[in-house]
Amino acid sequence: QVQLVESGGGLVKPGGSLRLSCEASGFTLRDYYMHWIRQTPGKGLEWISSIDGLARGIDYVGSVKGRFTISRDNAKNTLYLDMNSLRDEDTAVYYCASGGPDVGGAYWPFQQWGRGTLVTVSS
Amino acid sequence: DIVMTQSPDSLAVSLGERATINCKSSRSLLYSANNNNYLAWYQQKPGQPPKVLIYWASTRESGVPDRFSGSGSGTDFTLTISSLQAEDVGVYYCQQYYGGPFTFGQGTKLEI
């Protein structure tokens, strides 16, 4: 059974840092593009970052560039999101999702989603 | 960035009736080299993550009931639920994956 499970969310002060993890089971993470997407009541769903199977291709939405870093450990079948210089507006539920195949799958729908982890940035 | 605009924002439909949700993109999502539209539809129920229903604008995901269908090309797309069931209540989103940053519509809340 394909499953993605996020962890690492919590309450953090503005300017603080947090590392999110996404553990995959039932499939080989290395074979897929992976994404982080967040959801807030105000801004809806927002794609924030993607990474290909061997971490050769990485992309970010402009609002998190220079603050967030996506990475993966294929041996552990785990995706990460390191978040620094957090702001109030980063408060959201963060989802990891699988995309297309590592070869030719950069532009593909988000087919498997985790249940999300809540990040709250507040003083 | 490609802006995705859905209409309506909310929709109430009787059981067994047809529901139609529209999505418009600020630029064409049709890639001429392969004739594919890079457009997906997702359903989100309360307390759950989004679930993909339709991709390439009209391809139904495995396991999705055939009452769900997608149509359209270029900049204008439609999700149709042919005969609404109680379990179809939720929020529906369109999303473009033609180019980064990948963007979503604001969502359409479907009620009975």
Side-chain angles (χ1 to χ4, degrees), chain B residues 77-93:
Chain B
F77 301 91
T78 300
L79 174 70
T80 302
I81 308 172
S82 61
S83 177
L84 191 73
Q85 304 300 302
E87 61 265 31
D88 299 335
V89 166
V91 181
Y92 291 79
Y93 298 92

Side-chain angles (χ1 to χ4, degrees), chain A residues 102-123:
Chain A
D102 182 46
V103 177
Y107 302 100
W108 210 265
F110 306 134
Q111 295 195 284
Q112 295 293 334
W113 295 62
R115 295 195 66 85
T117 187
L118 176 62
V119 172
T120 303
V121 184
S122 175
S123 54

